Amino acid sequence: MSRPAASADIFQAIADPTRRALLDRLCNGEQSVKQLAEPFEMSMPAISQHLHILCEAGLVSQRKVGRQRLYRLNPEPLKEVSDWVNPYEQFWQEKLDALGKYLEENPCSET
């Protein structure tokens, strides 16, 4: 089953480590571009481009207060990512459970 084109934007948006870091920073609440850009060694226009992509994907919203733009996390679209990842998480949990069982049945002996 393929994803609709609009949802692919979410996956593309979070594929970039800078955009994921921006989302992490927005978990702490609404922030201006200047606040968001502080830890990054890149230009303000580059940060603005990343924020634009996040806004287009619906992961971030913005509002204007005077001359300042404030950005806020919108986590709802990430549910689609979580839903997609969930079966793989179950797969790895089963593998870890099997490994735990194997280790209990075959204890390592120290020499």
Side-chain angles (χ1 to χ4, degrees):
M1 175 192 238
S2 65
R3 297 186 303 269
S7 66
D9 292 343
I10 295 164
F11 290 89
Q12 183 177 0
I14 64 171
D16 184 275
T18 299
R19 291 194 286 271
R20 290 194 306 269
L22 287 168
L23 291 174
D24 289 344
R25 290 184 55 77
L26 287 168
C27 284
N28 297 322
E30 193 174 60
Q31 296 182 49
S32 68
V33 178
K34 186 176 180 182
Q35 291 171 307
L36 289 168
E38 284 176 5
F40 300 100
E41 292 184 17
M42 62 177 61
S43 68
M44 293 292 270
I47 293 293
S48 292
Q49 284 180 332
H50 284 298
L51 288 168
H52 179 73
I53 291 168
L54 292 171
C55 286
E56 281 186 342
L59 294 166
V60 171
S61 62
Q62 67 173 322
R63 67 184 181 100
K64 268 186 115 172
V65 177
R67 292 200 275 175
Q68 191 174 39
R69 290 181 193 267
L70 297 176
Y71 292 86
R72 178 183 311 184
L73 176 66
N74 177 24
E76 286 84 24
L78 292 172
K79 171 103 173 68
E80 182 178 352
V81 176
S82 175
D83 291 345
W84 182 77
V85 169
N86 190 39
Y88 298 99
E89 184 178 336
Q90 182 178 349
F91 167 79
W92 283 110
Q93 188 59 50
E94 290 171 4
K95 295 293 185 189
L96 290 172
D97 290 345
L99 176 61
K101 184 178 178 185
Y102 174 81
L103 291 173
E104 285 175 6
E105 293 171 356
N106 302 289
C108 295
S109 60
E110 294 203 20
T111 56

